[in-house]
Structures are given as C-alpha cells and as structure tokens.
Amino acid sequence: MSLFVDIKKKLGDFHLDVCLEASDGVLGLLGASGCGKSMTLKCIAGIEKPDKGKIILDGVTLFDSEARINLPPQKRKIGYLFQSYALFPNMNVRQNILCGLRGESGNVLKDDALAEMLDMLQLHGLEKHRPHELSGGQQQRVALARILVGSPNILMLDEPFSALDSHLRGQLQIQMQKLLRQFGKSVLMVTHSRSEAYRLCNRIALIDDGGILSLKDTKALFSNPESRQVAIMTGVKNIADAKKIGEHELMVRDWGIKLTTALPLKDELCAVAIRAHYFNAKTNYNRYPVRFTDRMEEPFEYILQFRYENQNENSPDIWWRLPKDRMPKEPYEIGIAPQNVLPLYK
C-alpha cells in the first residue's frame, strides 16, 4: 500500500504546503496544535479540498487539481478516526459498527464482519450498549471497529488518545500497537506527543507552520535531528551555538568547552544539542568540571541543573535528567559519549 500527497491550501493567513509519501507501517504527523496536521488528514479524506496538488492512494488518484479529479469521501476507501470518535449517540455498539458496511448487502456477511470486529477489538457483551454507557477506551474501540469493518485501504488517526486519561492512554497505546500491526496497510497518525509518536510510528514527519521540516525513520530523527528547530521539536533541552574546529571536534563558546563527535562535521555547523539523558558521570569522553545549581524532583527521575566551570554567565543552566535509582553523589566532572553529541546545521 502506498500514499502520495503533494498539496497546497490557503486558509486566511495560514498556508498548508505538504509533500509526503507513506507506505506500509505507521507514519506520524508530529507538531504543535494549529500547524496543519489535522488539515492534512482532512484533505486526504476528502473532507477539505486543497487549492492545488495531487493525492494518490495505491495508484488511484483521489485528487488532482489540474485534471479536475476530486473523489467524494465515500469513494476514497479511507478509514478516518476523529478525535471525538463521532459515534452515533442514538445507536448501540452493534448498529454503530454496522454503519461501516454501508452498501453491503446480506445479513450473513454483516453478521460475520460484526463478529470479527467484536473479537478483534474485545467488544463482546457490549453490543447493546449506547456510546454514553461506554468508557473512553471502549468508545475508541467501537469507532475503530466501525472503520475497520469496511476494509479501508489506509487508516488515519487524528489524536487518537487525546480524550483519555494518562493511565488509560498507556494501556490503549499497547493495544493500538498490536492492532496496527494486524491492519498491515498504511497508517497516518496525527499527534502532538513526542513519546506517543516514538512508541507507535515507524517514521515521523515533523510539521510546523503548514510545512514539513523533516521526514525520517523515527529512531534516526531522534538520534540525529540535524537542525535547531527539529532538535527543539524532538525534546532536546540543551542547545548552544557551536563552531567546527576539526573533522570531529567543535567549540561551544557559551559553555567554555570543546566536544568530540562521532559524526563527521560539516562546514555549515551552527549549533550543538545534548539530550538531558545523555550526560554520564562515569565516561571519560568530553569530560569537564561542573558546578550544580539546582535540582527538581519528579516521581521517578531527578532533573539536575549545572554549569560548566568556564560557562558564559549569560547562558542558561544545563539540564541532566536521570533515574532516581541511578542518582550518584553530585560529581565534580561530567562527560558525554561522542555519539551523543548532536551537531546541528543551518
């Protein structure tokens, strides 16, 4: 299964300009609220019409502004899970699921399809319940059953966990991971949560202000963000201007230190990023004296703030995050492995 999207749409002062390709697996659209993630899904689904461009799903053109093709939503074979789940309040679970079989005839066929969805999504015993009688997780599974019963060619999930509390969210993410593997086709998932995207998505497209900043395999995106904006969006806390001084060496003037990198450096180097988990009191690489300035306690971690011995007084404190069970006495020196020094470019 494959999806090609190259579209532009103007809404007042907002300009959506998205070009992406997706194949089997889960592609996450990650970004802040209002950046264009949900609008991209709506254009693919046919709910919104782009001003120009193309949308092609498995060789079938869904939209082409030049050829004047714009298939209606019901002909696009797209399963779209809305944030609100959009269940019909006056229908029970059975009726809501069977709405996904519009156009199908034959009671045996419908009964078989219904039984398969009840099994897959663990909904047995809830067939006669109405949406208001279901928990948030049960409502989500009913909405997914209604989508999947129609055998869509692609599944699109718009903030699927935003309406759930944190405990239920964690449980359902594990269930969703299994379900998406079973689906076996292209999946697009909109989220503003980095951890959610990391857990569930094979690839991530970072979207900001209507455009795609980066589209990479998930682990590659987090291990090598390459630009300051991508580093910030993937959660890096420690970023400073830097200058290349060797093939694998850079200078961070604000921190008053030199750092050795595992990656060879390009001349366009402009900054360096260090994730808060990457500091290490035991490593001998990139090791310098530090002075601790503050500490914040979380349920399972500490955040230690420190400054290097020769750090510019106008630069912010540096963050070191570590589990409570690995909390050492505050060391006089801290190091960073070369592979954890992330060079950033213009």
Side-chain angles (χ1 to χ4, degrees):
M1 297 293 174
S2 63
L3 172 71
F4 172 78
V5 178
D6 186 0
I7 53 174
K8 292 178 173 62
K9 184 174 178 66
K10 184 178 179 182
L11 291 164
D13 294 332
F14 178 77
H15 294 261
L16 182 71
D17 187 351
V18 169
C19 183
L20 62 84
E21 292 186 57
S23 55
D24 293 352
V26 185
L27 172 62
L29 306 186
L30 176 63
S33 297
C35 70
K37 308 183 303 294
S38 295
M39 180 56 65
T40 299
L41 293 197
K42 290 176 181 177
C43 288
I44 296 169
I47 298 168
E48 294 282 349
K49 181 182 176 182
D51 297 329
K52 62 192 310 186
K54 288 184 180 182
I55 302 171
I56 301 170
L57 178 61
D58 296 333
V60 177
T61 300
L62 308 183
F63 176 80
D64 187 330
S65 56
E66 291 186 0
R68 297 187 178 182
I69 296 171
N70 186 24
L71 295 187
Q74 61 269 26
K75 291 189 176 181
R76 295 195 178 198
K77 293 286 285 182
I78 288 174
Y80 191 169
L81 180 68
F82 295 89
Q83 290 184 42
S84 63
Y85 308 143
L87 296 174
F88 298 110
N90 59 329
M91 294 184 181
N92 61 30
V93 167
R94 180 183 184 278
Q95 292 165 332
N96 263 288
I97 294 174
L98 289 178
C99 281
L101 285 174
R102 287 190 303 263
E104 296 288 348
S105 60
N107 290 333
V108 174
L109 176 64
K110 289 183 178 180
D111 288 345
D112 288 347
L114 175 65
E116 183 182 356
M117 289 300 108
L118 294 175
D119 284 340
M120 178 185 293
L121 291 152
Q122 301 172 17
L123 293 168
H124 280 294
L126 301 174
E127 294 93 326
K128 295 182 180 180
H129 287 58
R130 294 183 186 273
H132 74 273
E133 299 175 301
L134 304 173
S135 69
Q138 290 168 340
Q139 289 179 26
Q140 185 190 77
R141 299 205 305 274
V142 173
L144 281 168
R146 185 177 63 187
I147 291 167
L148 295 173
V149 76
S151 300
N153 289 333
I154 187 171
L155 184 60
M156 302 199 303
L157 313 174
D158 193 352
E159 299 278 7
F161 307 104
S162 61
L164 306 173
D165 62 60
S166 58
H167 175 69
L168 185 58
R169 190 181 302 134
Q171 290 182 321
L172 290 183
Q173 283 177 359
I174 294 172
Q175 295 176 11
M176 182 70 78
Q177 191 176 47
K178 294 177 182 176
L179 178 65
L180 296 181
R181 289 197 201 105
Q182 287 178 310
F183 181 62
K185 302 176 185 176
S186 298
V187 179
L188 295 185
M189 188 180 81
V190 160
T191 180
H192 64 269
S193 167
R194 293 185 295 267
S195 58
E196 196 170 279
Y198 192 90
R199 291 187 196 110
L200 294 173
C201 303
N202 309 102
R203 301 172 74 219
I204 294 175
L206 282 181
I207 299 183
D208 185 52
D209 197 24
I212 293 181
L213 289 177
S214 180
L215 201 167
K216 284 184 175 182
D217 288 348
T218 299
K219 290 185 178 180
L221 180 72
F222 279 80
S223 65
N224 187 19
E226 293 190 300
S227 76
R228 189 186 294 261
Q229 200 168 2
V230 172
I232 292 170
M233 290 180 69
T234 57
V236 178
K237 295 297 184 185
N238 307 301
I239 301 175
D241 292 344
K243 180 181 179 181
K244 176 183 175 181
I245 56 176
E247 186 178 0
H248 289 271
E249 192 173 27
L250 57 84
M251 167 67 76
V252 190
R253 284 200 171 89
D254 274 352
W255 294 349
I257 62 173
K258 298 176 183 179
L259 294 173
T260 300
T261 67
L263 294 169
L265 298 173
K266 304 173 188 176
D267 292 338
E268 297 80 15
L269 179 81
C270 65
V272 65
I274 311 289
R275 295 194 183 276
H277 289 96
Y278 282 177
F279 295 102
N280 191 322
K282 296 181 179 180
T283 185
N284 291 320
Y285 294 103
N286 297 314
R287 190 176 183 88
Y288 291 96
V290 298
R291 171 176 56 86
F292 288 89
T293 58
D294 211 342
R295 173 190 296 195
M296 291 182 285
E297 184 176 359
E298 295 185 336
F300 306 107
E301 291 185 315
Y302 281 111
I303 298 172
L304 302 182
Q305 291 183 293
F306 69 88
R307 303 182 70 80
Y308 284 109
E309 188 176 52
N310 298 315
Q311 187 167 335
N312 184 326
E313 63 180 13
N314 295 319
S315 64
D317 290 353
I318 299 166
W319 285 39
W320 179 19
R321 187 187 287 268
L322 68 168
K324 285 184 175 179
D325 61 354
R326 299 180 190 172
M327 176 71 181
K329 291 182 179 179
E330 291 182 355
Y332 295 107
E333 295 182 340
I334 295 178
I336 313 159
Q339 64 267 27
N340 292 330
V341 178
L342 309 178
L344 306 178
Y345 299 94
K346 297 177 182 177

